[in-house]
Structure formats: structure tokens, C-alpha cells
Amino acid sequence: MNWFNGSIPDAIQRSKQQKVVFIVYVYGQNDLTNEMDKVWNDPEVVNLCNNGGCVAIKMAANSNDCAHFSQIYPVVVVPSTYFIGVNGAPIEVTAGHKDTPDFIQVLKNVLKLHNDQLGTAQSNLPTGGAQPGPSTDPKANTEDKPPLEERVQKVKEKLEQKKAEKERLEKEKEKQEEAERRKLGRDLQKLKEFQKEREMKETVDQLKKEKAEEKRQRDKIKEQIARDSCEGFIDREERAARFKKETEKQQQAQEEKKQAQLAARQKQSSEEEAKKMETARIQVRLPDGTSLLNSFPSSDTLQCVHSVVSQHVGSDVTLSTVYPKRTFTTDDLSQTLLSLNLAPSAVLIAVPGKPSVISKQGNNGGGILALFFAPFLFLWNMIRVFLFGDKRSSQPKREDTPDATETPDESQSTRRRDRPQTAYQRRPISRGDGNVRRLADMRDDDDENATWNGNSTQQM
């Protein structure tokens, strides 16, 4: 393809002078441009352009010429081809790539339209009167023909007029093009403003929609929170009721367990108490100060205890208790130890003499006096033995059994006098040299003779 190598104004000027089609090809750097270049280089396309006398020029889409050109003729698609007539109006515009047959048909149509426009313009030119033919009369020609200088001057004036007219027309054309360019600029500005307003409106609508959506989501969340709160309140009440019920069940189970344990302990205690009550451990304080310990079935009568004590003492005795204070009579001898509250253990005092039929306060006055003065006598004997020693070792031993001639009061006094000085028999204190004294070993182990009564006091 034979492209015009000059500038765009030169190409426009040349197309106007020759009254041919002005072709502008805008290309880029893409595949469509490569395909369109092949169409332009087709021989048939080249022949049509050359035969039609077209002035063709190509420009890059990113060039300054294309920027100026797009101010008048907007370039939307690359590549594009503009077919412009002599009057500056575009005859045809092709955007993008076209096949060779289609492009040839477009080119033919453009040339045809251009020729039609030129024919219409020539037919509209004013026609003058009939030109008189050249005079055959030489005289007339000589008389009518002006001088050469005058004719040259007229030709110059006509040339100047044509030049001035041409300049005027170019200025008017430039003014018209400038007006069109300004109009196109205003239209583009209006279009930009319209697009901007539309974008702003779309942005406002989008914001309203987002606010509405946000409000809807917020209301939904509030409803969900309210519903959850209501459900949570119900759940709390249910949990509280369930916890209360479980607590009551646990407390009831604990109470039942405590009652069962208490019943088991009471049963065990009663069984142990009953087992203890089966045997009565009786400790009897004899008149000579010694003690007699023995166990009896609780179902035995007091007569059994009385018989054992009487046999041990060698005479009849009267049995009594210190607390509660009571002296047993002959009627009590037939009662069981359990009924007399002597089980599981008890301490009895044996006083010489037969038990009376009816318990009287005066019958056992001597025994009560002996019990009253026994602690004092015990202290006095302890002090006397510690200071002066035991003088009874040189005296002959008295018979444990009282003389038959002695009265009960004398026998009781004799037994009290022969009673050991301490609760348990000690050996005499052995004297050593100087001021050093030591106690001898005891005859018997106290732990073997120690017993316990019902009040947990140690008795001998």
C-alpha cells in the first residue's frame, strides 16, 4: 500500500486539491492490527486506492497526531479506518478487522459515493449565457482586444482574488472545524458529566442499599438476641428448677444415708450393749480392804454373788453400792444382776453381817462410817509409814477369821485395824546409808490387779 509520507495537513490539502477521498488508518499493537495490515497489502485493495486517486495516511494510536485527530473524529476501536470526503465529513468508518472481500466492497461503495457527490456539486454550478464565437473580422478583434499589460494586470487581480477567496474559505473552514471541535468537546464534557452523575447516583443507590441491608441485618441480629435472651431466660429457669430438684434429691439421699448410718450405728451399739449386758463384771470390796473381781452371767441372781463373797470371806456379808446408794436385802438376792442394774459392770461393798429383810438406814451405819473415815485413815497410815516405818512386822499376824466370842462391831474394828496401810501392799522401805533412801520392788505387778469399773476409775 502506497501511504502518504507527509503531515496530516499536507495530506488534507492534497486530497482537497485533487478532490479525492482522504483515508486515515489508525493502527495499534494487537492481533487485529496485524490482520488488517494484511488486508491493506492485498493487490486488489492497492489497485482500487491507486485508481481512485485516494490519499491514504496511517498513524499510531498512541501518537500525538492520533490525539489531535481524535479531537475531531473520536477513535473508539483500534484498528479503525476513516474515509473522509472533500467537505470533511466522514463517508464511512470501519472499526476493527474486516475480511478482504468485505473491505473491498466497502472501498468500492466509498468511491462510488464520492463520485456521486462530486457530480452533484458540478451540476449545481451556475451556467452563463452563450459565449459568442470568435469574430472573423480581424478589425473587430483588434479593436475589442485590450492591451497586453492590461490583460496581465487583470489576470493578476483574478489570481489575487482567488487567493483571497481561498484564504477566506480556509479561514471559514478552520472556524467551522474549530466550532465543531468545540462542540465535540462540549458534548464530550457533557457525556463525562452525565457519566459522573450516573456513577454518583449509582454510588448513592448502592450506599442506600448497603444501609438498608445493614439495618435489616442489625434488626435481624436484635431479634435473634431478643429470642436468645428469652430462650436463655427459660433455659435458666429450667436449669434452676433442675438444679433445685437434683439438690433436693441429693439432700434426700444424704439424709437417707445418714439415717441409715445412724440406724446401723444404733443397731451396732445396741448389739454391742446387748453383748456387754450378757456378762456382768462384779468387783467386790472386802472388809479387809482387798478386792474380789469375778464375772457372772447377767441372768444370774444376786444370790450367786452373795454366795461367792460369803464363801471367800468366811461369813455372811451385806452387799451394797455407793452410787446410787443402796443396800441389798434378802428380797434382792432373788433378782437377776441385769434387773438390779449391775450389768455390764458394778462395784459392790461387802460389810460383815447378814442382810436384813428390809433395807433400813440404821442397820449399816457402821459400814457407812467406815467408808467415810477410810480416806482419812488412808492418808494417816501413808504419813505414819513414811515417817516411822511399819511397826506391824514385829507383831504376830492376826487371824483373818474373827473370834467367835467377838461381837460384830469388835470384829469389824479388828479387820479395819489389820487392813493394809495403802491401796496396794508395798514392801517396807529399805533404809540405806546416809540420807539416800530407795523403795523396794513391789511384790505383784499393779497392772495385773488393776481393774476398771463402769465409771472408768481404776480400782484395786
Side-chain angles (χ1 to χ4, degrees):
M1 181 64 186
N2 297 324
W3 300 102
F4 185 77
N5 295 326
S7 62
I8 295 177
D10 294 340
I12 295 173
Q13 186 68 26
R14 183 174 178 179
S15 64
K16 287 184 176 181
Q17 290 177 358
Q18 296 180 1
K19 296 183 180 181
V20 294
V21 178
F22 178 47
I23 301 175
V24 179
Y25 171 56
V26 181
Y27 64 92
Q29 300 293 332
N30 51 21
D31 296 337
L32 296 177
T33 300
N34 297 331
E35 296 294 332
M36 197 63 193
D37 290 340
K38 294 178 182 180
V39 174
W40 279 111
N41 293 325
D42 186 85
E44 189 174 357
V45 174
V46 174
N47 292 330
L48 284 174
C49 292
N50 292 334
N51 295 331
C54 299
V55 178
I57 188 173
K58 59 187 302 187
M59 63 181 68
N62 55 359
S63 62
N64 294 328
D65 294 338
C66 182
H68 294 297
F69 179 78
S70 62
Q71 292 178 359
I72 302 173
Y73 305 98
V75 178
V76 181
V77 181
V78 177
S80 298
T81 304
Y82 295 83
F83 299 94
I84 302 173
V86 178
N87 57 358
I91 301 173
E92 181 70 26
V93 178
T94 60
H97 167 258
K98 284 189 174 296
D99 296 334
T100 303
D102 296 336
F103 189 75
I104 292 172
Q105 185 64 35
V106 170
L107 189 56
K108 290 179 178 180
N109 293 334
V110 169
L111 293 174
K112 184 179 180 182
L113 290 174
H114 178 67
N115 294 328
D116 294 340
Q117 289 178 0
L118 289 178
T120 303
Q122 290 179 358
S123 62
N124 291 330
L125 291 174
T127 57
Q131 294 290 337
S135 178
T136 57
D137 189 359
K139 291 182 180 181
N141 291 337
T142 303
E143 291 177 358
D144 296 335
K145 189 175 181 180
L148 179 60
E149 295 178 357
E150 186 177 353
R151 287 185 304 198
V152 172
Q153 186 67 27
K154 287 182 179 180
V155 170
K156 288 182 179 181
E157 291 177 358
K158 288 181 180 180
L159 289 174
E160 289 177 359
Q161 290 178 359
K162 287 183 179 180
K163 186 177 180 180
E165 183 68 19
K166 184 178 179 180
E167 290 177 356
R168 185 182 63 79
L169 292 175
E170 288 179 357
K171 288 181 180 180
E172 290 180 357
K173 184 178 180 181
E174 288 178 0
K175 289 182 180 180
Q176 185 178 0
E177 290 177 355
E178 182 67 20
E180 292 178 357
R181 186 182 63 79
R182 291 182 179 180
K183 182 180 179 182
L184 181 62
R186 288 194 297 270
D187 294 341
L188 290 174
Q189 186 67 23
K190 290 181 180 179
L191 179 62
K192 289 180 181 180
E193 292 178 356
F194 174 75
Q195 290 178 352
K196 188 175 181 180
E197 291 178 358
R198 186 175 63 183
E199 290 177 357
M200 291 179 64
K201 185 177 180 181
E202 290 177 355
T203 304
V204 172
D205 294 340
Q206 183 68 23
L207 290 175
K208 289 182 179 179
K209 185 183 293 185
E210 290 178 357
K211 288 183 179 179
E213 183 67 19
E214 184 179 357
K215 183 179 179 182
R216 188 179 66 81
Q217 293 291 339
R218 189 165 54 250
D219 295 340
K220 185 177 180 181
I221 292 172
K222 287 182 180 179
E223 292 178 359
Q224 184 68 27
I225 291 173
R227 186 164 57 253
D228 293 342
S229 300
C230 183
E231 293 177 357
F233 180 74
I234 296 173
D235 292 340
R236 286 196 297 272
E237 289 184 350
E238 291 179 355
R239 286 197 299 271
R242 186 165 59 252
F243 177 75
K244 185 178 180 181
K245 188 175 181 181
E246 291 178 357
T247 305
E248 291 177 354
K249 287 183 178 179
Q250 291 178 359
Q251 292 178 355
Q252 186 177 0
Q254 291 178 357
E255 291 293 334
E256 292 178 354
K257 186 177 180 180
K258 289 181 180 178
Q259 291 178 2
Q261 291 177 355
L262 181 61
R265 285 197 295 268
Q266 290 178 354
K267 183 177 179 182
Q268 184 178 1
S269 299
S270 62
E271 290 178 355
E272 292 178 355
E273 189 70 21
K275 187 175 180 181
K276 289 180 181 179
M277 298 294 286
E278 291 178 356
T279 304
R281 297 178 70 236
I282 306 298
Q283 183 182 16
V284 182
R285 291 184 179 180
L286 300 177
D288 59 355
T290 61
S291 298
L292 177 64
L293 179 64
N294 202 349
S295 297
F296 301 91
S298 60
S299 59
D300 289 352
T301 61
L302 184 62
Q303 182 64 43
C304 297
V305 180
H306 183 269
S307 300
V308 172
V309 175
S310 297
Q311 185 178 0
H312 184 78
V313 173
S315 63
D316 288 338
V317 293
T318 300
L319 301 176
S320 62
T321 58
V322 177
Y323 184 83
K325 185 177 179 181
R326 180 179 180 181
T327 302
F328 296 105
T329 63
T330 55
D331 294 336
D332 297 329
L333 297 178
S334 61
Q335 297 184 17
T336 61
L337 299 176
L338 184 62
S339 63
L340 293 174
N341 295 327
L342 298 179
S345 63
V347 178
L348 300 179
I349 298 174
V351 179
K354 293 183 179 180
S356 62
V357 177
I358 301 174
S359 177
K360 293 183 179 180
Q361 184 71 21
N363 291 340
N364 55 357
I368 294 173
L369 290 174
L371 291 175
F372 179 76
F373 289 107
F376 301 101
L377 292 174
F378 170 75
L379 293 175
W380 167 249
N381 289 330
M382 286 286 294
I383 297 170
R384 183 173 59 82
V385 169
F386 183 75
L387 295 176
F388 305 104
D390 190 5
K391 296 181 179 180
R392 294 177 59 191
S393 60
S394 62
Q395 296 179 1
K397 293 184 179 179
R398 296 178 180 272
E399 297 293 335
D400 294 337
T401 305
D403 191 5
T405 60
E406 293 180 355
T407 62
D409 294 336
E410 293 176 352
S411 176
Q412 184 175 0
S413 300
T414 302
R415 292 179 183 279
R416 187 181 302 114
R417 190 168 53 249
D418 296 337
R419 188 177 300 169
Q421 279 75 15
T422 60
Y424 50 89
Q425 185 65 34
R426 291 180 179 271
R427 290 183 181 181
I429 299 175
S430 61
R431 300 178 181 273
D433 297 337
N435 294 328
V436 178
R437 299 290 184 271
R438 67 181 181 85
L439 294 175
D441 295 335
M442 292 181 293
R443 295 179 182 178
D444 299 327
D445 190 2
D446 294 339
D447 293 338
E448 294 179 357
N449 297 327
T451 58
W452 298 83
N453 63 359
N455 294 328
S456 299
T457 57
Q458 188 174 8
Q459 300 293 335
M460 298 301 297

